[in-house]
Amino acid sequence: MYHIPVMLQECMEGLHILPDGIYVDVTFGGGGHSRAILARLGEKGHLFGFDQDADAERHWLEAEQESDSGVDPRFTFVRSNFRYLKNWMRYYEVDHVDGILADLGVSSHHLDDAKRGFAFRFDAPLDMRMNTRAGQTAGDFLATASEQELERVLSLYGELRQARRMSAAIVKGRMQKSISTTGDLRNIVAPFITPKNEKKELAQVFQALRIEVNREMDALEEMLMAATEVLAPGGRLVVMTYHSLEDRIVKNVMRSGHADGTVVKDFYGRVEAPFEAVNRKVIVASDDEVAANPRARSAKLRVAEKIKER
């Protein structure tokens, strides 16, 4: 499969889909969540699917061509980063939507496609770009970033205790040989990896670079702030996270309307937050799902509803 959707049923319940509603899947990927949304929409409903990855678009087009029913008029594919959510809704003359779904992180396809450079188990070029048509690659970043910048990325996005030593080794190593493949990177950081936690810590190294290369935290903040304006009163925001930093941003926006968690109160002392949490506790995958899909192990699902005007 191109991608196995995580917590599919929980996401659908969180969206509370209206048959004639307008919805946005800002992380289309393999289309698993999108197909489930479309299955619940009536003839007047519509879904917009965002993805900046050419592979996702190609996969969708091939699936549409092979489908007996042909192109679904209720679906619009948007080839773009979800940070431009508000711009594209304005382009399509959509004032408000009834639900937004975001499944953050990397897809199964990205990890299984060796040439993309997302996985440490393959020896491949260090690319890691979600959008292969633009931006610097992970190899470019490793070749030009300062030691301090490398340490910041590995520590903040990878939560690695050996970030400083790894960064120094990368700078020293690139003076002797360019770090152009996943194998090159593995060899450099190997001395600072705990043998019993090898897979986990290597995954953290690759995760940190992926987040930096794709500017994922900046894009997430912009999308969430756009969601506060695009969602209709009563509309649902459903977000699945896989990293503590992105989860903190999502939680802050849902609670206060600000990525940094700043709380603003009105004259009467009421918090001026655009959302109200639907699930008081974070939702996690069942043991059965984790066993079938290891990617679900670190997934956290949060659901919020746009507050209706007082």
Side-chain angles (χ1 to χ4, degrees):
M1 291 185 66
Y2 185 97
H3 175 70
I4 303 172
V6 175
M7 285 193 271
L8 181 61
Q9 185 59 37
E10 291 87 341
C11 287
M12 295 305 105
E13 291 174 359
L15 282 173
H16 191 62
I17 296 170
L18 305 173
D20 295 339
I22 300 176
Y23 293 85
V24 184
D25 179 354
V26 296
T27 49
F28 181 78
H33 286 114
S34 285
R35 289 186 180 88
I37 294 172
L38 286 169
R40 291 163 172 77
L41 289 179
E43 293 183 2
K44 296 181 180 180
H46 200 86
L47 172 66
F48 293 89
F50 278 67
D51 209 302
Q52 60 184 327
D53 190 346
D55 283 355
E57 181 179 18
R58 185 162 48 250
H59 175 75
W60 166 71
L61 289 173
E62 291 173 353
E64 288 290 286
Q65 292 169 357
E66 295 174 0
S67 173
D68 294 334
S69 56
V71 177
D72 193 332
R74 302 172 303 160
F75 179 73
T76 301
F77 187 92
V78 183
R79 186 203 295 179
S80 177
N81 188 303
F82 61 39
R83 72 194 312 162
Y84 304 115
L85 169 64
K86 183 179 177 181
N87 305 58
W88 281 103
M89 291 301 96
R90 185 185 300 121
Y91 174 80
Y92 284 109
E93 299 182 339
V94 175
D95 294 326
H96 293 97
V97 302
D98 298 292
I100 297 172
L101 170 66
D103 179 3
L104 306 176
V106 63
S107 73
S108 306
H109 169 73
H110 289 140
L111 294 175
D112 292 337
D113 187 350
K115 68 179 183 294
R116 297 297 294 272
F118 285 102
F120 57 82
R121 69 181 186 275
F122 303 116
D123 191 14
L126 272 171
D127 194 316
M128 296 195 191
R129 293 173 298 168
M130 297 291 188
N131 179 3
T132 56
R133 298 175 287 250
Q136 69 170 354
T137 66
D140 294 333
F141 175 72
L142 290 175
T144 58
S146 67
E147 185 174 331
Q148 292 74 23
E149 183 67 2
L150 288 165
E151 182 184 350
R152 181 190 70 82
V153 169
L154 293 173
S155 177
L156 182 62
Y157 300 148
E159 300 177 305
L160 290 152
R161 294 182 179 180
Q162 298 293 335
R164 179 174 297 180
R165 297 175 69 187
M166 287 180 180
S167 302
I170 289 170
V171 171
K172 181 179 179 180
R174 74 190 184 192
M175 290 190 292
Q176 301 170 357
K177 178 183 178 295
S178 64
I179 307 171
S180 57
T181 70
T182 55
D184 293 336
L185 178 59
R186 281 200 315 269
N187 291 335
I188 287 178
V189 301
F192 315 106
I193 296 291
T194 308
K196 66 177 182 179
N197 292 326
E198 181 182 18
K199 289 185 177 180
K200 177 183 178 182
E201 292 179 16
L202 279 174
Q204 289 172 285
V205 171
F206 278 66
Q207 170 186 272
L209 290 175
R210 187 204 82 224
I211 291 174
E212 173 64 21
V213 165
N214 294 287
R215 304 292 184 189
E216 292 180 25
M217 296 304 138
D218 293 338
L220 175 60
E221 288 188 24
E222 291 181 38
M223 183 275 289
L224 291 173
M225 296 315 296
T228 66
E229 300 181 53
V230 171
L231 271 172
R236 294 289 183 88
L237 174 62
V238 179
V239 186
M240 192 142 41
T241 66
Y242 299 85
H243 182 270
S244 60
L245 186 56
E246 63 188 13
D247 185 59
R248 189 178 309 123
I249 293 172
V250 172
K251 181 171 63 175
N252 285 343
V253 171
M254 287 185 172
R255 287 182 175 178
S256 70
H258 300 277
D260 62 0
T262 299
V263 175
V264 178
K265 296 183 179 181
D266 63 15
F267 178 79
Y268 300 99
R270 297 175 299 191
V271 176
E272 294 183 334
F275 299 110
E276 181 176 355
V278 172
N279 56 308
R280 299 299 175 183
K281 292 184 178 180
V282 68
I283 301 171
V284 297
S286 67
D287 292 340
D288 289 342
E289 180 169 8
V290 171
N293 183 7
R295 181 173 178 264
R297 180 177 292 107
S298 58
K300 294 180 179 180
L301 185 67
R302 295 185 184 276
V303 182
E305 185 171 292
K306 179 72 176 292
I307 294 175
K308 297 178 181 179
E309 295 182 4
R310 294 186 175 94

Short mmCIF file of all heavy atoms in Angstrom, two decimals, residues 188-249:
data_model
loop_
_atom_site.label_atom_id
_atom_site.label_comp_id
_atom_site.label_asym_id
_atom_site.label_seq_id
_atom_site.Cartn_x
_atom_site.Cartn_y
_atom_site.Cartn_z
N ILE A 188 28.78 8.63 10.21
CA ILE A 188 29.29 9.74 11.01
C ILE A 188 28.69 9.76 12.41
O ILE A 188 29.38 10.01 13.40
CB ILE A 188 29.05 11.08 10.29
CG1 ILE A 188 30.01 11.21 9.11
CG2 ILE A 188 29.22 12.26 11.25
CD1 ILE A 188 29.83 12.47 8.31
N VAL A 189 27.38 9.49 12.51
CA VAL A 189 26.72 9.56 13.82
C VAL A 189 26.80 8.24 14.60
O VAL A 189 26.49 8.21 15.79
CB VAL A 189 25.24 9.99 13.69
CG1 VAL A 189 25.14 11.35 13.02
CG2 VAL A 189 24.43 8.94 12.93
N ALA A 190 27.23 7.17 13.93
CA ALA A 190 27.25 5.84 14.56
C ALA A 190 27.98 5.80 15.90
O ALA A 190 27.49 5.15 16.84
CB ALA A 190 27.88 4.83 13.59
N PRO A 191 29.14 6.47 16.07
CA PRO A 191 29.84 6.40 17.36
C PRO A 191 29.05 6.99 18.53
O PRO A 191 29.37 6.74 19.69
CB PRO A 191 31.12 7.21 17.09
CG PRO A 191 31.31 7.16 15.62
CD PRO A 191 29.92 7.20 15.06
N PHE A 192 28.03 7.79 18.23
CA PHE A 192 27.27 8.48 19.29
C PHE A 192 25.89 7.88 19.49
O PHE A 192 25.05 8.44 20.19
CB PHE A 192 27.17 9.97 18.95
CG PHE A 192 28.47 10.56 18.49
CD1 PHE A 192 28.67 10.87 17.15
CD2 PHE A 192 29.51 10.75 19.38
CE1 PHE A 192 29.87 11.38 16.72
CE2 PHE A 192 30.73 11.25 18.96
CZ PHE A 192 30.91 11.57 17.62
N ILE A 193 25.65 6.73 18.84
CA ILE A 193 24.38 6.03 18.95
C ILE A 193 24.49 4.90 19.98
O ILE A 193 25.45 4.12 19.96
CB ILE A 193 23.96 5.43 17.59
CG1 ILE A 193 23.72 6.54 16.56
CG2 ILE A 193 22.74 4.55 17.74
CD1 ILE A 193 22.52 7.39 16.82
N THR A 194 23.52 4.81 20.88
CA THR A 194 23.49 3.73 21.85
C THR A 194 23.09 2.44 21.15
O THR A 194 22.01 2.39 20.54
CB THR A 194 22.46 4.02 22.97
OG1 THR A 194 22.70 5.32 23.51
CG2 THR A 194 22.56 2.98 24.06
N PRO A 195 23.94 1.41 21.17
CA PRO A 195 23.66 0.17 20.43
C PRO A 195 22.27 -0.40 20.66
O PRO A 195 21.58 -0.80 19.71
CB PRO A 195 24.75 -0.79 20.94
CG PRO A 195 25.89 0.11 21.28
CD PRO A 195 25.25 1.35 21.87
N LYS A 196 21.80 -0.43 21.91
CA LYS A 196 20.50 -1.03 22.18
C LYS A 196 19.34 -0.16 21.69
O LYS A 196 18.21 -0.63 21.55
CB LYS A 196 20.33 -1.32 23.66
CG LYS A 196 20.28 -0.09 24.55
CD LYS A 196 20.03 -0.49 26.01
CE LYS A 196 19.92 0.73 26.91
NZ LYS A 196 19.66 0.34 28.32
N ASN A 197 19.63 1.12 21.43
CA ASN A 197 18.59 2.04 20.92
C ASN A 197 18.92 2.53 19.52
O ASN A 197 18.49 3.61 19.12
CB ASN A 197 18.46 3.25 21.85
CG ASN A 197 17.90 2.88 23.21
OD1 ASN A 197 17.07 1.99 23.32
ND2 ASN A 197 18.37 3.56 24.25
N GLU A 198 19.66 1.72 18.77
CA GLU A 198 20.15 2.15 17.46
C GLU A 198 19.04 2.63 16.52
O GLU A 198 19.11 3.73 15.97
CB GLU A 198 20.93 1.01 16.79
CG GLU A 198 21.49 1.41 15.42
CD GLU A 198 22.22 0.27 14.74
OE1 GLU A 198 22.01 -0.90 15.15
OE2 GLU A 198 22.99 0.53 13.80
N LYS A 199 18.00 1.83 16.34
CA LYS A 199 16.94 2.19 15.40
C LYS A 199 16.22 3.47 15.84
O LYS A 199 15.93 4.34 15.02
CB LYS A 199 15.94 1.04 15.25
CG LYS A 199 16.51 -0.16 14.50
CD LYS A 199 15.44 -1.22 14.28
CE LYS A 199 15.99 -2.38 13.47
NZ LYS A 199 14.96 -3.44 13.26
N LYS A 200 15.92 3.55 17.13
CA LYS A 200 15.20 4.72 17.64
C LYS A 200 16.02 5.99 17.46
O LYS A 200 15.50 7.02 16.97
CB LYS A 200 14.86 4.53 19.11
CG LYS A 200 14.17 5.73 19.74
CD LYS A 200 13.93 5.53 21.22
CE LYS A 200 13.28 6.77 21.84
NZ LYS A 200 13.07 6.61 23.31
N GLU A 201 17.30 5.96 17.81
CA GLU A 201 18.11 7.17 17.74
C GLU A 201 18.44 7.56 16.31
O GLU A 201 18.50 8.75 15.99
CB GLU A 201 19.37 6.99 18.58
CG GLU A 201 19.05 6.91 20.08
CD GLU A 201 20.28 6.71 20.95
OE1 GLU A 201 21.42 6.93 20.46
OE2 GLU A 201 20.12 6.31 22.12
N LEU A 202 18.64 6.59 15.44
CA LEU A 202 18.85 6.90 14.03
C LEU A 202 17.59 7.54 13.45
O LEU A 202 17.66 8.50 12.67
CB LEU A 202 19.21 5.65 13.23
CG LEU A 202 20.66 5.18 13.31
CD1 LEU A 202 20.83 3.84 12.61
CD2 LEU A 202 21.60 6.23 12.69
N ALA A 203 16.43 7.02 13.85
CA ALA A 203 15.16 7.59 13.39
C ALA A 203 15.03 9.04 13.86
O ALA A 203 14.51 9.90 13.14
CB ALA A 203 13.99 6.76 13.92
N GLN A 204 15.53 9.33 15.07
CA GLN A 204 15.47 10.70 15.60
C GLN A 204 16.38 11.64 14.80
O GLN A 204 16.03 12.79 14.57
CB GLN A 204 15.87 10.70 17.08
CG GLN A 204 14.84 10.07 17.99
CD GLN A 204 15.34 9.90 19.43
OE1 GLN A 204 16.14 9.03 19.71
NE2 GLN A 204 14.89 10.77 20.31
N VAL A 205 17.55 11.14 14.39
CA VAL A 205 18.46 11.94 13.56
C VAL A 205 17.79 12.29 12.24
O VAL A 205 17.78 13.45 11.81
CB VAL A 205 19.78 11.17 13.29
CG1 VAL A 205 20.62 11.90 12.24
CG2 VAL A 205 20.57 10.99 14.57
N PHE A 206 17.20 11.29 11.59
CA PHE A 206 16.57 11.51 10.29
C PHE A 206 15.32 12.37 10.42
O PHE A 206 15.01 13.20 9.57
CB PHE A 206 16.25 10.16 9.64
CG PHE A 206 17.42 9.55 8.93
CD1 PHE A 206 18.55 9.13 9.64
CD2 PHE A 206 17.43 9.41 7.55
CE1 PHE A 206 19.65 8.58 8.99
CE2 PHE A 206 18.52 8.86 6.88
CZ PHE A 206 19.64 8.44 7.61
N GLN A 207 14.58 12.18 11.51
CA GLN A 207 13.39 13.00 11.76
C GLN A 207 13.77 14.46 11.90
O GLN A 207 13.10 15.35 11.34
CB GLN A 207 12.71 12.53 13.04
CG GLN A 207 11.60 13.46 13.54
CD GLN A 207 11.07 13.02 14.89
OE1 GLN A 207 10.15 12.21 14.96
NE2 GLN A 207 11.62 13.55 15.98
N ALA A 208 14.83 14.74 12.63
CA ALA A 208 15.25 16.13 12.86
C ALA A 208 15.60 16.82 11.55
O ALA A 208 15.18 17.96 11.31
CB ALA A 208 16.47 16.14 13.79
N LEU A 209 16.32 16.13 10.68
CA LEU A 209 16.71 16.72 9.40
C LEU A 209 15.49 16.93 8.51
O LEU A 209 15.37 17.95 7.82
CB LEU A 209 17.73 15.83 8.70
CG LEU A 209 19.12 15.79 9.33
CD1 LEU A 209 20.01 14.79 8.62
CD2 LEU A 209 19.76 17.18 9.29
N ARG A 210 14.57 15.95 8.51
CA ARG A 210 13.36 16.07 7.70
C ARG A 210 12.53 17.28 8.10
O ARG A 210 12.05 18.04 7.26
CB ARG A 210 12.52 14.79 7.86
CG ARG A 210 11.32 14.71 6.94
CD ARG A 210 10.26 13.80 7.52
NE ARG A 210 9.45 14.48 8.51
CZ ARG A 210 9.10 13.93 9.67
NH1 ARG A 210 9.50 12.73 10.02
NH2 ARG A 210 8.32 14.62 10.50
N ILE A 211 12.37 17.47 9.41
CA ILE A 211 11.59 18.60 9.91
C ILE A 211 12.22 19.92 9.50
O ILE A 211 11.53 20.85 9.08
CB ILE A 211 11.45 18.51 11.44
CG1 ILE A 211 10.54 17.33 11.82
CG2 ILE A 211 10.88 19.81 12.01
CD1 ILE A 211 10.45 17.08 13.31
N GLU A 212 13.54 20.00 9.60
CA GLU A 212 14.25 21.23 9.23
C GLU A 212 14.17 21.50 7.74
O GLU A 212 13.85 22.61 7.32
CB GLU A 212 15.71 21.13 9.67
CG GLU A 212 16.60 22.28 9.19
CD GLU A 212 16.20 23.62 9.78
OE1 GLU A 212 15.53 23.66 10.82
OE2 GLU A 212 16.58 24.65 9.17
N VAL A 213 14.45 20.49 6.93
CA VAL A 213 14.46 20.65 5.48
C VAL A 213 13.11 21.12 4.95
O VAL A 213 13.02 21.96 4.06
CB VAL A 213 14.88 19.33 4.79
CG1 VAL A 213 14.56 19.35 3.29
CG2 VAL A 213 16.36 19.08 5.00
N ASN A 214 12.04 20.60 5.53
CA ASN A 214 10.70 20.92 5.05
C ASN A 214 10.03 22.06 5.82
O ASN A 214 8.87 22.38 5.57
CB ASN A 214 9.82 19.67 5.11
CG ASN A 214 10.29 18.60 4.15
OD1 ASN A 214 10.11 18.72 2.95
ND2 ASN A 214 10.91 17.55 4.67
N ARG A 215 10.78 22.66 6.77
CA ARG A 215 10.23 23.76 7.57
C ARG A 215 8.87 23.40 8.15
O ARG A 215 7.90 24.19 8.10
CB ARG A 215 10.12 25.03 6.71
CG ARG A 215 11.41 25.47 6.07
CD ARG A 215 12.41 25.96 7.08
NE ARG A 215 13.64 26.47 6.48
CZ ARG A 215 14.73 26.81 7.15
NH1 ARG A 215 14.75 26.64 8.46
NH2 ARG A 215 15.79 27.28 6.53
N GLU A 216 8.79 22.21 8.69
CA GLU A 216 7.49 21.67 9.10
C GLU A 216 6.84 22.45 10.23
O GLU A 216 5.61 22.60 10.25
CB GLU A 216 7.64 20.19 9.48
CG GLU A 216 7.96 19.31 8.29
CD GLU A 216 8.11 17.85 8.67
OE1 GLU A 216 7.53 17.42 9.70
OE2 GLU A 216 8.80 17.11 7.94
N MET A 217 7.60 22.94 11.18
CA MET A 217 7.00 23.66 12.30
C MET A 217 6.42 25.00 11.86
O MET A 217 5.33 25.40 12.29
CB MET A 217 8.03 23.85 13.42
CG MET A 217 8.50 22.56 14.04
SD MET A 217 7.15 21.55 14.68
CE MET A 217 7.67 19.92 14.17
N ASP A 218 7.13 25.70 10.98
CA ASP A 218 6.62 26.97 10.46
C ASP A 218 5.34 26.74 9.68
O ASP A 218 4.36 27.48 9.82
CB ASP A 218 7.67 27.64 9.56
CG ASP A 218 8.90 28.09 10.32
OD1 ASP A 218 8.80 28.28 11.55
OD2 ASP A 218 9.97 28.26 9.69
N ALA A 219 5.36 25.71 8.81
CA ALA A 219 4.18 25.41 7.99
C ALA A 219 2.99 25.02 8.87
O ALA A 219 1.85 25.42 8.60
CB ALA A 219 4.50 24.28 7.01
N LEU A 220 3.25 24.25 9.93
CA LEU A 220 2.19 23.82 10.84
C LEU A 220 1.54 25.03 11.52
O LEU A 220 0.31 25.13 11.58
CB LEU A 220 2.75 22.87 11.88
CG LEU A 220 1.78 22.42 12.98
CD1 LEU A 220 0.58 21.70 12.40
CD2 LEU A 220 2.50 21.52 13.99
N GLU A 221 2.36 25.94 12.02
CA GLU A 221 1.81 27.13 12.67
C GLU A 221 0.95 27.94 11.72
O GLU A 221 -0.15 28.39 12.08
CB GLU A 221 2.95 27.99 13.21
CG GLU A 221 3.64 27.40 14.43
CD GLU A 221 4.63 28.38 15.06
OE1 GLU A 221 4.46 29.60 14.86
OE2 GLU A 221 5.57 27.92 15.74
N GLU A 222 1.42 28.12 10.49
CA GLU A 222 0.66 28.90 9.51
C GLU A 222 -0.67 28.22 9.16
O GLU A 222 -1.70 28.89 9.02
CB GLU A 222 1.50 29.12 8.25
CG GLU A 222 2.69 30.05 8.48
CD GLU A 222 3.50 30.28 7.21
OE1 GLU A 222 2.88 30.37 6.13
OE2 GLU A 222 4.73 30.36 7.30
N MET A 223 -0.63 26.89 9.01
CA MET A 223 -1.86 26.18 8.69
C MET A 223 -2.87 26.28 9.83
O MET A 223 -4.07 26.51 9.61
CB MET A 223 -1.54 24.71 8.39
CG MET A 223 -2.75 23.86 7.96
SD MET A 223 -3.72 23.19 9.35
CE MET A 223 -2.58 21.95 9.99
N LEU A 224 -2.41 26.11 11.06
CA LEU A 224 -3.31 26.16 12.21
C LEU A 224 -3.93 27.54 12.38
O LEU A 224 -5.11 27.67 12.71
CB LEU A 224 -2.56 25.76 13.47
CG LEU A 224 -2.15 24.28 13.56
CD1 LEU A 224 -1.25 24.06 14.78
CD2 LEU A 224 -3.36 23.36 13.62
N MET A 225 -3.12 28.59 12.16
CA MET A 225 -3.67 29.93 12.27
C MET A 225 -4.68 30.21 11.16
O MET A 225 -5.68 30.88 11.37
CB MET A 225 -2.54 30.96 12.25
CG MET A 225 -1.57 30.86 13.43
SD MET A 225 -2.39 30.66 15.05
CE MET A 225 -3.27 32.22 15.17
N ALA A 226 -4.41 29.65 9.97
CA ALA A 226 -5.38 29.78 8.87
C ALA A 226 -6.67 29.05 9.22
O ALA A 226 -7.77 29.51 8.90
CB ALA A 226 -4.78 29.23 7.58
N ALA A 227 -6.53 27.91 9.90
CA ALA A 227 -7.71 27.12 10.28
C ALA A 227 -8.63 27.90 11.20
O ALA A 227 -9.85 27.73 11.16
CB ALA A 227 -7.27 25.82 10.96
N THR A 228 -8.07 28.77 12.04
CA THR A 228 -8.90 29.56 12.95
C THR A 228 -9.82 30.49 12.17
O THR A 228 -10.88 30.87 12.66
CB THR A 228 -8.04 30.40 13.91
OG1 THR A 228 -7.31 31.39 13.16
CG2 THR A 228 -7.06 29.53 14.67
N GLU A 229 -9.42 30.85 10.94
CA GLU A 229 -10.23 31.75 10.12
C GLU A 229 -11.10 31.00 9.12
O GLU A 229 -12.22 31.42 8.82
CB GLU A 229 -9.31 32.72 9.35
CG GLU A 229 -8.45 33.61 10.24
CD GLU A 229 -7.60 34.55 9.43
OE1 GLU A 229 -8.17 35.27 8.58
OE2 GLU A 229 -6.37 34.57 9.61
N VAL A 230 -10.57 29.89 8.60
CA VAL A 230 -11.27 29.16 7.54
C VAL A 230 -12.42 28.30 8.06
O VAL A 230 -13.44 28.14 7.40
CB VAL A 230 -10.26 28.28 6.76
CG1 VAL A 230 -10.97 27.34 5.80
CG2 VAL A 230 -9.27 29.15 6.01
N LEU A 231 -12.27 27.76 9.26
CA LEU A 231 -13.33 26.90 9.81
C LEU A 231 -14.60 27.69 10.14
O LEU A 231 -14.54 28.78 10.70
CB LEU A 231 -12.84 26.20 11.07
CG LEU A 231 -12.14 24.85 10.89
CD1 LEU A 231 -11.55 24.39 12.22
CD2 LEU A 231 -13.09 23.79 10.35
N ALA A 232 -15.72 27.10 9.80
CA ALA A 232 -17.01 27.70 10.14
C ALA A 232 -17.30 27.45 11.62
O ALA A 232 -16.79 26.49 12.21
CB ALA A 232 -18.10 27.07 9.29
N PRO A 233 -18.09 28.31 12.27
CA PRO A 233 -18.48 28.05 13.65
C PRO A 233 -19.10 26.66 13.77
O PRO A 233 -19.96 26.29 12.98
CB PRO A 233 -19.51 29.15 13.93
CG PRO A 233 -19.10 30.26 13.01
CD PRO A 233 -18.64 29.57 11.76
N GLY A 234 -18.60 25.88 14.73
CA GLY A 234 -19.08 24.51 14.87
C GLY A 234 -18.27 23.51 14.06
O GLY A 234 -18.45 22.29 14.19
N GLY A 235 -17.36 24.02 13.20
CA GLY A 235 -16.51 23.15 12.39
C GLY A 235 -15.46 22.46 13.24
O GLY A 235 -15.07 22.95 14.30
N ARG A 236 -14.97 21.33 12.78
CA ARG A 236 -14.02 20.53 13.54
C ARG A 236 -12.60 20.61 12.97
O ARG A 236 -12.40 20.58 11.75
CB ARG A 236 -14.46 19.06 13.55
CG ARG A 236 -15.78 18.80 14.31
CD ARG A 236 -15.61 18.95 15.80
NE ARG A 236 -16.80 18.64 16.55
CZ ARG A 236 -17.12 17.40 16.99
NH1 ARG A 236 -16.33 16.38 16.71
NH2 ARG A 236 -18.21 17.21 17.68
N LEU A 237 -11.62 20.68 13.88
CA LEU A 237 -10.20 20.61 13.53
C LEU A 237 -9.66 19.33 14.15
O LEU A 237 -9.68 19.16 15.37
CB LEU A 237 -9.44 21.83 14.08
CG LEU A 237 -7.92 21.81 13.90
CD1 LEU A 237 -7.55 21.80 12.42
CD2 LEU A 237 -7.29 23.03 14.59
N VAL A 238 -9.18 18.41 13.31
CA VAL A 238 -8.68 17.11 13.76
C VAL A 238 -7.21 17.00 13.34
O VAL A 238 -6.90 17.04 12.15
CB VAL A 238 -9.49 15.96 13.13
CG1 VAL A 238 -8.96 14.61 13.58
CG2 VAL A 238 -10.97 16.11 13.48
N VAL A 239 -6.32 16.87 14.32
CA VAL A 239 -4.89 16.85 14.01
C VAL A 239 -4.21 15.67 14.70
O VAL A 239 -4.38 15.46 15.90
CB VAL A 239 -4.20 18.15 14.46
CG1 VAL A 239 -2.73 18.16 14.00
CG2 VAL A 239 -4.92 19.38 13.90
N MET A 240 -3.42 14.93 13.92
CA MET A 240 -2.66 13.80 14.44
C MET A 240 -1.18 14.16 14.41
O MET A 240 -0.64 14.54 13.38
CB MET A 240 -2.91 12.56 13.60
CG MET A 240 -2.41 11.29 14.23
SD MET A 240 -3.55 9.91 13.93
CE MET A 240 -4.02 10.14 12.22
N THR A 241 -0.52 14.07 15.56
CA THR A 241 0.89 14.42 15.68
C THR A 241 1.73 13.20 16.04
O THR A 241 1.22 12.20 16.54
CB THR A 241 1.10 15.49 16.76
OG1 THR A 241 0.77 14.93 18.05
CG2 THR A 241 0.24 16.71 16.51
N TYR A 242 3.06 13.32 15.78
CA TYR A 242 3.97 12.21 16.06
C TYR A 242 5.22 12.68 16.79
O TYR A 242 6.13 11.88 17.02
CB TYR A 242 4.38 11.53 14.74
CG TYR A 242 3.21 10.95 13.98
CD1 TYR A 242 2.46 11.74 13.12
CD2 TYR A 242 2.84 9.62 14.14
CE1 TYR A 242 1.37 11.23 12.43
CE2 TYR A 242 1.76 9.09 13.46
CZ TYR A 242 1.02 9.91 12.60
OH TYR A 242 -0.06 9.39 11.93
N HIS A 243 5.28 13.95 17.13
CA HIS A 243 6.47 14.53 17.74
C HIS A 243 6.02 15.51 18.81
O HIS A 243 5.03 16.23 18.63
CB HIS A 243 7.31 15.24 16.66
CG HIS A 243 8.58 15.84 17.16
ND1 HIS A 243 8.65 17.13 17.63
CD2 HIS A 243 9.83 15.33 17.26
CE1 HIS A 243 9.90 17.39 17.99
NE2 HIS A 243 10.63 16.32 17.78
N SER A 244 6.72 15.54 19.93
CA SER A 244 6.29 16.36 21.07
C SER A 244 6.20 17.84 20.73
O SER A 244 5.31 18.54 21.23
CB SER A 244 7.25 16.16 22.25
OG SER A 244 8.58 16.53 21.91
N LEU A 245 7.10 18.33 19.88
CA LEU A 245 7.09 19.76 19.55
C LEU A 245 5.86 20.14 18.74
O LEU A 245 5.20 21.13 19.04
CB LEU A 245 8.37 20.13 18.79
CG LEU A 245 8.57 21.62 18.51
CD1 LEU A 245 8.55 22.42 19.81
CD2 LEU A 245 9.89 21.84 17.77
N GLU A 246 5.53 19.33 17.72
CA GLU A 246 4.35 19.64 16.91
C GLU A 246 3.08 19.45 17.74
O GLU A 246 2.11 20.21 17.59
CB GLU A 246 4.32 18.80 15.64
CG GLU A 246 4.21 17.31 15.84
CD GLU A 246 4.38 16.51 14.55
OE1 GLU A 246 4.83 17.10 13.54
OE2 GLU A 246 4.10 15.30 14.55
N ASP A 247 3.09 18.47 18.64
CA ASP A 247 1.92 18.26 19.49
C ASP A 247 1.69 19.44 20.41
O ASP A 247 0.55 19.85 20.67
CB ASP A 247 2.09 16.98 20.31
CG ASP A 247 0.85 16.65 21.11
OD1 ASP A 247 -0.23 16.47 20.50
OD2 ASP A 247 0.93 16.58 22.35
N ARG A 248 2.79 20.03 20.91
CA ARG A 248 2.68 21.19 21.79
C ARG A 248 2.08 22.38 21.03
O ARG A 248 1.24 23.12 21.57
CB ARG A 248 4.06 21.57 22.34
CG ARG A 248 4.02 22.63 23.44
CD ARG A 248 5.41 22.92 23.97
NE ARG A 248 6.10 21.67 24.33
CZ ARG A 248 7.26 21.30 23.82
NH1 ARG A 248 7.88 22.05 22.92
NH2 ARG A 248 7.83 20.17 24.21
N ILE A 249 2.49 22.57 19.79
CA ILE A 249 1.96 23.67 18.98
C ILE A 249 0.46 23.49 18.75
O ILE A 249 -0.33 24.43 18.90
CB ILE A 249 2.71 23.75 17.63
CG1 ILE A 249 4.16 24.18 17.85
CG2 ILE A 249 2.01 24.73 16.69
CD1 ILE A 249 5.02 24.10 16.61
#
